[in-house]
Structure formats: C-alpha cells, structure tokens
Amino acid sequence: MDRLKDKVAVVTGSTSGIGIGIARLFAAEGANVVICGRREAKGQAVVERILNEGGKASYHFMDITDTESVERLFADTAEKYGKIDILVNNAANVGQKDGRVDELTLEMWDAILQSDLRGTFYATKCVLPYLQKNENGGSIINIGSMASCAGDLGSTAYACAKAGVDMLTKYTALQYGKQNIRCNCVRPGLIVTPENEARVPQVLKDIFTSNIMVTRYGCPEDIGYMCVYFASDESKYVTGQIINVDGGLNSHVTTVAQFRELQSRTW
C-alpha cells in the first residue's frame, strides 16, 4: 500500500463526500494528504479518521471562491511539507440554485461558474509553480461530472461549468506535459455518499440502476481508486484524459433501459 509513498497531495473539498473517499485512499497508499474546505470541524474529523487508520493528514482552511485562501493553501502546504506532488480539484458548490436557461439569473450563473470552473482554474494556476519545481513534475486531477456528457432538463450552469473543466483538463495537459505535469479528469456517475444518501430518493436510484451496466450505483471509493491511479507513477504516460467512472451509464444508447423492460433487443 505505497503507490503514493511520500507524495504530498492536496484534495480540495475533502471535508465530505467524494473528497473524503479520495483522501482516505490516498493516505492508505502512503501520501501526506492535506484536507481542505470551509468546515474546520468536519475537516479535523476527517484528519482524525485518517490518523486512526494509520495514514498521514492535516487540515487547512480553504474557500474555493476566495483567491487569497487558495493561494495560502498552497504556500502553507509547500512550507510545511517542502513540496506538492498532487492536486485533486474536487471542490464544487452543488448546493447553488440552478435550473433551465430561462430560469437562471446572471447571479445564479456567475455563482456556479465561480465555484465550479473559476475555482478549478485558479487552484490549477496556483499549484503549477510548485509542481514545476519537482524533478518528476506532478499530477493534477480534476473532478468533472457526467452532466457535461449530454443535455439534460436542468442544472444548466453546473453542466456548462463542468464542460469547461473538461476542456481545462486538456489545455493544462498540453501546455505543461513537457514539464512532466500531467492533468486528467474523472467524471463521476451517480455517487451516493453518507451525506447525500438520505436526499437521494429511491425512484432516482431506480432510474439510474436501470441504466447502469453494473448492478449498483457508485460510492466515493469508486472515484478514489481512479484518482489513486492518476496520482501514482503508474499513470506517467497518461494525460489529457477524461474518464467516466459511472458504471457504464454513458456508454450505451439512451433507450437501453426501456428495451430491457420490454425484454427486447431492438424495436
């Protein structure tokens, strides 16, 4: 369990949900993990859990919409550990109001783009000088969304922000690959976490599981395992990639679930 031994990893938005799953697996693989977010009590609880599991972690406050706190995060991490090897851009504000194009105000649009796209951009910009100091470069992992795969009935601003994250991934990979800095993106499917499980109705779970190729919806560790690969030296020849971790949800035509119910292969 040393695929990330002695690496320093910053996982934004790691005080809950998918971020915790990523951070715990990183720590289990030997990384020094910086837990960061706005909720200190929750962040310290994650640190305590990782320490109890035999890992190494510390907490640092960060508000992804506050540029000064993002800058301090990386400066303080580099000062504490002497380097930064990995950044996971996981922080996003999915609690913002969203909707159809005609329902969105400019304020709603700007708020979502600020946290979900601008925040990812600025964290990437801030970490680059630290990764450039490393002989072996480093790895940036963006957490995207299946919302950017196709149109939907709502969540317009969120989907557009995550589509921007997809393209930012490719541009970062291209522009800094010659410096051994890799950038890849993981798009989660339906991930049920301890925080959101009570808010995910059974009917929604049924809709997803009827369209997922495997037998279940996802958990935070499913995303964490892919992030471990992208963070490790095993993926040194992999960059600019956007990987769906969604149980095959986006790998088939949209009518599969309905035809399955009809026990028919086609019309």
Side-chain angles (χ1 to χ4, degrees), residues 85-241:
D85 300 291
I86 303 158
L87 167 64
V88 180
N89 279 312
N90 172 68
N93 195 342
V94 295
Q96 295 279 11
K97 290 184 179 180
D98 204 339
R100 295 165 23 133
V101 172
D102 62 304
E103 296 168 337
L104 283 168
T105 65
L106 281 176
E107 290 75 17
M108 294 161 64
W109 173 273
D110 289 345
I112 294 170
L113 269 289
Q114 181 184 40
S115 64
D116 294 9
L117 180 54
R118 183 176 181 265
T120 297
F121 159 75
Y122 198 66
T124 299
K125 178 180 174 66
C126 288
V127 81
L128 281 170
Y130 300 101
L131 300 184
Q132 288 167 330
K133 293 177 183 178
N134 300 335
E135 180 179 351
N136 294 320
S139 177
I140 299 171
I141 305 162
N142 295 327
I143 303 301
S145 172
M146 64 179 180
S148 67
C149 296
D152 207 341
L153 299 176
S155 301
T156 306
Y158 174 74
C160 291
K162 289 300 186 178
V165 169
D166 289 352
M167 193 53 66
L168 178 63
T169 298
K170 291 182 176 294
Y171 270 64
T172 304
L174 171 66
Q175 293 169 3
Y176 303 97
K178 296 298 185 184
Q179 299 173 54
N180 289 320
I181 296 172
R182 297 175 291 108
C183 186
N184 294 286
C185 180
V186 180
R187 285 180 183 157
L190 175 64
I191 305 298
V192 177
T193 71
E195 292 84 4
N196 73 13
E197 184 161 15
R199 303 195 305 272
V200 180
Q202 188 60 45
V203 63
L204 182 60
K205 294 177 183 176
D206 292 342
I207 290 172
F208 273 90
T209 53
S210 68
N211 284 280
I212 290 171
M213 290 184 178
V214 297
T215 58
R216 63 175 176 86
Y217 41 80
C219 62
E221 288 73 20
D222 292 317
I223 309 305
Y225 286 123
M226 181 57 71
C227 289
V228 167
Y229 170 69
F230 279 144
S232 75
D233 292 342
E234 297 164 13
S235 61
K236 277 187 174 181
Y237 200 54
V238 181
T239 192
Q241 300 306 301

